[in-house]
């Protein structure tokens, strides 16, 4: 049975007609706009991205991000990549962080065990937030003239990155996080884990700094 998830809240429906009715009455989204708001598993940039991905002349970046999407630092780093390379393609992977671990949750941002944010299963709210951030990231990249595609992925960022790298010819990983005092990914030393596991350069962007 197919499950249709609202892109603006965690409600789920068993058929598209129910979803369309919900979007129109609860979110005031006309039916004609529903397709434009759908999770971009087949995004308009995909054909361009795919045509570039196998080209040796393209710098292909895995952007691994969730709550850090939308920062000025991310725009600056991606603009720098565009200036440094003839062509750039980005594959955006947004781990579906459980809602209890989001900074917007009650007590959000408080850290527990070092790997807590790498182990837990996601929930409907976490998936809905990840879909919203995926769309935001692709819009930012398209505004910069970058061919982009992406997906919502496993809440464990190492697993999410591993599956993407198995499918895509990645040259570099760009990781965005919250500030060091709030980031579970930094607390678990995710940049070092990714660098060791995949033997790729990892550039980390936080709410405060940007470094490799």
């Amino acid at each position: 049975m197919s499950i249709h998830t609202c892109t603006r809240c965690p409600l789920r429906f068993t058929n598209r007609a129910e979803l369309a009715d919900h979007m129109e009455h609860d979110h005031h989204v006309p039916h004609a706009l529903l397709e434009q708001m759908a999770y971009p598993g087949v995004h308009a940039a995909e054909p361009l991205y795919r045509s570039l991905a196998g080209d040796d002349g393209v710098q292909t970046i895995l952007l691994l991000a969730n709550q850090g999407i939308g920062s000025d630092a991310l725009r600056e780093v991606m603009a720098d990549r565009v200036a440094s390379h003839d062509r750039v393609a980005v594959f955006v992977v947004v781990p579906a962080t459980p809602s209890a671990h989001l900074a917007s949750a009650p007590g959000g941002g408080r850290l527990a065990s070092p790997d807590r944010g790498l182990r837990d299963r996601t929930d409907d709210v976490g998936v809905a937030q990840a879909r919203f951030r995926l769309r935001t990231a692709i819009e930012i990249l398209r505004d910069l003239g970058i061919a982009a595609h992406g997906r919502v992925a496993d809440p464990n960022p190492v697993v999410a990155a591993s599956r993407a790298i198995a499918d895509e010819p990645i040259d570099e990983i760009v990781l965005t996080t919250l500030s060091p005092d709030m980031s579970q990914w930094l607390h678990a030393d995710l940049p070092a884990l990714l660098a060791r596991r995949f033997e790729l350069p990892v550039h980390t962007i936080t709410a405060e700094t940007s470094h490799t």
Side-chain angles (χ1 to χ4, degrees):
M1 179 177 67
S2 298
I3 299 296
H4 301 271
T5 302
C6 176
T7 58
R8 290 193 169 180
C9 72
L11 294 180
R12 299 189 298 177
F13 303 89
T14 58
N15 62 69
R16 196 158 186 81
E18 291 178 350
L19 173 61
D21 182 75
H22 159 71
M23 292 293 290
E24 183 168 0
H25 289 88
D26 296 333
H27 298 300
H28 309 292
V29 176
H31 185 272
L33 296 181
L34 183 59
E35 289 299 322
Q36 298 178 29
M37 297 183 60
Y39 160 63
V42 182
H43 193 272
E46 181 178 3
L48 176 59
Y49 173 83
R50 294 298 180 185
S51 68
L52 293 175
D55 190 326
D56 291 338
V58 176
Q59 177 74 4
T60 307
I61 298 169
L62 170 62
L63 174 59
L64 186 64
N66 190 311
Q67 296 180 89
I69 287 172
S71 69
D72 290 339
L74 174 60
R75 290 181 174 86
E76 291 171 3
V77 167
M78 290 302 171
D80 177 72
R81 296 301 185 273
V82 171
S84 302
H85 301 277
D86 290 337
R87 287 175 292 174
V88 176
V90 177
F91 189 79
V92 184
V93 170
V94 183
T97 302
S99 61
H101 295 174
L102 296 172
S104 58
R110 291 186 295 183
L111 298 172
S113 61
D115 66 342
R116 176 178 174 183
L118 307 185
R119 292 186 289 108
D120 288 0
R121 303 171 77 178
T122 192
D123 55 7
D124 290 344
V125 176
V127 172
Q129 290 280 2
R131 284 176 169 166
F132 169 77
R133 292 186 173 113
L134 175 59
R135 293 196 302 274
T136 299
I138 290 179
E139 288 172 2
I140 290 170
L141 295 167
R142 291 184 69 187
D143 286 345
L144 293 170
I146 296 174
H149 181 51
R151 65 180 175 224
V152 171
D154 192 280
N156 183 321
V158 178
V159 173
S162 178
R163 291 173 179 170
I165 290 170
D167 296 337
E168 309 294 332
I170 302 299
D171 299 306
E172 176 189 17
I173 299 172
V174 172
L175 172 71
T176 73
T177 76
L178 297 172
S179 59
D181 61 321
M182 297 181 66
S183 173
Q184 295 190 18
W185 288 1
L186 292 181
H187 194 53
D189 201 12
L190 180 60
L193 287 173
L194 295 173
R196 287 196 302 268
R197 175 73 63 88
F198 305 114
E199 298 183 344
L200 289 168
V202 178
H203 186 99
T204 304
I205 304 168
T206 72
E208 299 175 358
T209 61
S210 173
H211 58 275
T212 300

